[in-house]
Amino acid sequence: MRAIIRRSYINSRGYLASDIHLRDPTCKPVIGSYHVMFRIPYNGCGTQRLISHGAITYSNTVEGSVSGNFYSRNRNSLINFACKMHNSAGAQTVPSAIQPPYRETPSNQFVVKFAFYDSPSFSNVVRAAPYYVMPNRDLFVRATLYSTQPDLMLFTDTCVVSPNPHDFTTVASDIIRGGCVRDPTYRSYLSPDRRIVQFRFRAPSFISRYSSVHLQCKMVVCNRYDFSSRCYQGCIRRGKRSTRDGDENKNVIIIVSRLQ
């Protein structure tokens, strides 16, 4: 969400542009010559969510603090605002939520943690649960491999979005399959650590038609110095099979995150 406020109004209330903030006082505006602008996330900066009669309302407040003292009792509400999203398949505006934001999959030798982030910088992990996602919104995903064995690496073989957690074929959106990119919105981000895989894709528009959808990813763990392993084979078209498939199957991890 975005809110633009005239600086003349802020001054008329006895505040400077630098004195105002959202409900979370660390969320400050971008200050221009005549206006200030807030960029308000749906899941941060003190934004509150209310579900009622098939609609979701997000609300926040612009507050002023005397002399910038966030923790002063003299914090006054200047503007209350809300964004209401109706449950309309035609409008496609009701978000879907990722629940839970983390998925941890253990094995005998390693653990893979699966997390969502709010930007391509991968600096702020999404901790809010549920995590609501708009159709056609970019999602940033990171999978991290933890192991006492230092010479392992992680590879994304397949990621699919489906409304049925037991069927990722009938109604589904392929993000990547067999190491081959199927979704034009998919983009991978390089990491200096081969145990980290991070990528972006856009939430499919059909999520607005279901109360929940699911993201399933198949990750493969390999020895980083085994250049004949699945991790180095990249895209494998249907019909092609590696002679190493049997060896790699024991290191395949299926990770499923539910989007409600």
Side-chain angles (χ1 to χ4, degrees):
M1 296 183 289
R2 185 171 63 171
I4 300 174
I5 307 169
R6 282 193 292 266
R7 292 186 63 172
S8 58
Y9 171 78
I10 298 170
N11 296 336
S12 71
R13 297 293 301 272
Y15 294 97
L16 300 176
S18 58
D19 292 335
I20 66 171
H21 50 82
L22 295 177
R23 189 175 286 123
D24 179 345
T26 63
C27 296
K28 304 285 287 183
V30 176
I31 300 175
S33 299
Y34 301 100
H35 301 83
V36 300
M37 181 180 69
F38 285 97
R39 295 187 177 94
I40 307 104
Y42 290 107
N43 60 343
C45 290
T47 300
Q48 296 179 347
R49 178 175 58 90
L50 174 65
I51 301 177
S52 178
H53 303 294
I56 302 175
T57 301
Y58 295 91
S59 63
N60 209 318
T61 301
V62 174
E63 299 178 350
S65 300
V66 175
S67 301
N69 182 2
F70 298 154
Y71 304 101
S72 168
R73 293 184 178 179
N74 296 321
R75 286 171 55 178
N76 296 312
S77 174
L78 302 181
I79 299 176
N80 299 310
F81 59 90
C83 176
K84 189 172 185 178
M85 299 181 181
H86 294 275
N87 188 0
S88 170
Q92 293 188 350
T93 55
V94 175
S96 290
I98 297 174
Q99 172 70 29
Y102 302 96
R103 175 69 62 176
E104 182 174 308
T105 304
S107 79
N108 294 331
Q109 299 176 339
F110 42 75
V111 169
V112 173
K113 289 188 177 180
F114 193 70
F116 297 90
Y117 289 76
D118 62 3
S119 73
S121 67
F122 292 93
S123 56
N124 296 318
V125 67
V126 174
R127 300 186 182 277
Y131 170 35
Y132 277 80
V133 177
M134 295 290 294
N136 300 314
R137 173 182 172 179
D138 287 341
L139 297 176
F140 302 92
V141 181
R142 172 183 284 175
T144 305
L145 169 68
Y146 296 90
S147 174
T148 57
Q149 301 180 47
D151 297 332
L152 297 180
M153 65 180 293
L154 194 62
F155 174 74
T156 306
D157 180 89
T158 298
C159 280
V160 183
V161 176
S162 170
N164 187 339
H166 308 293
D167 181 0
F168 284 86
T169 304
T170 305
V171 179
S173 176
D174 287 355
I175 309 302
I176 184 169
R177 184 175 289 277
C180 305
V181 176
R182 299 291 185 88
D183 187 335
T185 68
Y186 172 90
R187 176 186 172 184
S188 63
Y189 294 86
L190 291 177
S191 170
D193 192 333
R194 302 301 296 273
R195 294 170 296 181
I196 296 177
V197 170
Q198 47 195 22
F199 59 90
R200 176 199 74 191
F201 71 96
R202 192 160 296 163
S205 58
F206 72 71
I207 68 175
S208 62
R209 302 198 300 267
Y210 300 93
S211 60
S212 66
V213 294
H214 304 257
L215 171 66
Q216 181 189 76
C217 288
K218 182 171 77 172
M219 315 298 294
V220 182
V221 179
C222 309
N223 185 319
R224 73 174 64 185
Y225 300 111
D226 182 359
F227 298 103
S228 63
S229 69
R230 177 70 188 93
C231 295
Y232 288 99
Q233 293 170 2
C235 173
I236 297 181
R237 302 292 179 183
R238 184 174 298 178
K240 291 185 177 181
R241 293 188 61 84
S242 167
T243 57
R244 299 295 302 273
D245 281 348
D247 295 336
E248 296 300 336
N249 282 340
K250 63 183 179 182
N251 288 340
V252 170
I253 301 174
I254 303 296
I255 303 174
V256 179
S257 281
R258 182 179 62 187
L259 295 85
Q260 283 190 332

